[in-house]
């Protein structure tokens, strides 16, 4: 079937479907199915248990963000 053979409603539905699929692909977490290693779990736990915190401004400054 050619695009020219589609009705306006069919073309709009096709465009919606393609846009929806692309947005889903862009917004999907690429690490979703990866396992967290024991080392990373331990580092996260240490980080969460730590009382050391920095401000958002400090993060921006370290990363040289505006």
């Amino acid at each position: 079937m050619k695009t020219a053979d589609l009705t306006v409603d069919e073309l709009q539905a096709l465009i919606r479907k393609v846009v929806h699929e692309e947005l889903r692909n862009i917004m999907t977490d690429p690490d979703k199915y990866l396992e967290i290693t024991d080392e990373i779990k331990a580092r996260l736990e240490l980080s969460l248990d730590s009382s050391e915190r920095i401000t958002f401004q400090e993060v921006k400054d370290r990363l040289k963000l505006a």
Side-chain angles (χ1 to χ4, degrees):
M1 179 181 281
K2 294 182 180 181
T3 307
D5 297 332
L6 298 175
T7 66
V8 171
D9 289 339
E10 290 171 330
L11 181 58
Q12 287 175 338
L14 178 61
I15 292 169
R16 269 190 219 95
K17 180 180 178 184
V18 170
V19 169
H20 178 78
E21 287 174 2
E22 285 303 309
L23 287 172
R24 186 177 41 204
N25 289 339
I26 290 169
M27 298 175 77
T28 300
D29 181 358
D31 299 330
K32 183 176 182 178
Y33 299 105
L34 296 178
E35 290 186 32
I36 297 176
T37 64
D38 291 337
E39 178 188 354
I40 297 298
K41 285 179 187 177
R43 289 176 59 189
L44 287 170
E45 287 172 6
L46 282 173
S47 178
L48 290 172
D49 291 342
S50 171
S51 60
E52 182 182 329
R53 300 286 184 258
I54 62 172
T55 66
F56 181 61
Q57 185 60 49
E58 288 175 281
V59 172
K60 288 174 31 177
D61 291 345
R62 288 183 188 184
L63 297 175
K64 296 183 173 75
L65 301 173

